[in-house]
Amino acid sequence: MVKIKTAEEIELIRESALVVSKTLGMIASEIKPGVSPLYLDGLAETFIRDHGAEPGFLGMYDFPNTLNMSPNAQVVHGIPNDTPLEDGDIISVDCGALKNGYYGDHAYTFEVGDVAPETKKLLAVTKESLYVGIREFKLGNRVGDVGFAIQQFCESHGYGVVRELVGHGLGTELHESPEMPNYGKRGRGKKFADGMVVAIEPMINMGTRRIRQLKDGWTILTADGKPSAHFEHNIALVDGKPQLLSTFKYIYDALGIESDEEKEFRQDKQTV
Ligand code: MG
Ligand code: MG
């Protein structure tokens, strides 16, 4: 069942999402060749606790760390290890935080040093597909409209859209109803209503959409070994329109990137 949130609850989710946004901004300034995912994971855990929250993923379904860190051909759910990042890598960093009983949960795929142009394009298209999807999260639409838009956009670039993993509702639980697939048919699925809060998170492969899982029981990889990208935002439906609760602003501040990509999803009463 979809849990509709009050305005107060949406503010609480925004607060938790903000902890994640700031954590990813901190990570952005630390990511470089030679740094290990495990080191970054430790920084993130301390940062989240210092901001009055708890790591949202740590211990959830027995996940052993604070961050999901998934380099290159890893799609999502990578376990941070001590293998240093290398020049030319990409790495998806997915982070959750629990504060005041509500979860924030979003992700960004970072470039490490100098990344190949075709991989940069995968990142750009995947991030754009996130906003293409968010635009469809509005009154009158259904879950299938979001998935359809993301799928169309990514497949038009020749990319593979992962089917086995999906976005989700968000609130007092990390994963609430409805599931938010990155594929689908127009006009199908659950109807959107004001007060819904979701995490939309395209997982897009440069090659085949097929995936496999490592024996660690967590790590998801592309079946063909080609790179995969992952971006995630948290969004509330307010007055019939999508409103971002998460922001990549802290990442862009850390990396010196100018962007107004979030502007259309900002409304009054924004804290960021
Ligand atoms: Mg999520
Ligand atoms: Mg996530």
Side-chain angles (χ1 to χ4, degrees), residues 12-190:
L12 289 171
I13 299 169
R14 190 198 305 281
E15 205 177 315
S16 301
L18 194 57
V19 174
V20 175
S21 300
K22 288 178 175 173
T23 305
L24 292 176
M26 179 277 293
I27 292 294
S29 61
E30 297 286 338
I31 280 190
K32 49 182 167 295
V35 167
S36 80
L38 201 54
Y39 169 74
L40 298 170
D41 185 74
L43 292 183
E45 179 173 356
T46 303
F47 188 92
I48 289 169
R49 294 193 192 283
D50 285 350
H51 284 73
E54 286 169 48
F57 299 164
L58 185 64
M60 175 77 70
Y61 317 114
D62 291 330
F63 189 77
N65 291 84
T66 292
L67 301 175
N68 289 176
M69 301 190 79
S70 313
N72 303 319
Q74 292 187 12
V75 179
V76 287
H77 298 172
I79 299 174
N81 61 22
D82 55 10
T83 306
L85 296 172
E86 288 182 27
D87 188 47
D89 283 351
I90 56 169
I91 184 162
S92 156
V93 180
D94 195 349
C95 179
L98 176 64
K99 191 175 180 180
N100 302 315
Y102 289 84
Y103 283 95
D105 163 27
H106 45 282
Y108 193 90
T109 302
F110 294 93
E111 299 177 17
V112 182
D114 209 6
V115 168
E118 60 171 3
T119 307
K120 277 180 185 283
K121 192 188 159 204
L122 172 70
L123 297 183
V125 168
T126 303
K127 181 149 67 68
E128 182 58 34
S129 81
L130 171 59
Y131 295 109
V132 165
I134 291 171
R135 252 171 236 131
E136 299 295 321
F137 180 54
K138 61 184 181 187
L139 219 53
N141 271 6
R142 292 172 182 268
V143 165
D145 294 305
V146 171
F148 175 84
I150 293 171
Q151 181 183 5
Q152 284 283 106
F153 185 76
C154 293
E155 287 181 352
S156 76
H157 288 275
Y159 295 146
V161 177
V162 173
R163 302 291 202 276
E164 292 85 347
L165 299 133
V166 296
H168 49 92
L170 185 73
T172 55
E173 288 172 80
L174 178 61
H175 297 131
E176 294 187 358
S177 183
E179 288 194 341
M180 296 288 293
N182 299 302
Y183 61 93
K185 295 201 168 85
R186 281 227 169 274
R188 299 283 179 85
K190 185 67 101 184

Side-chain angles (χ1 to χ4, degrees), residues 71-75 90 118-119 122 158 204-208 210 221-229:
N72 303 319
Q74 292 187 12
V75 179
I90 56 169
E118 60 171 3
T119 307
L122 172 70
I204 307 301
N205 301 343
M206 188 182 282
T208 178
R210 305 274 169 206
L221 299 103
T222 58
D224 60 7
K226 290 184 180 172
S228 182

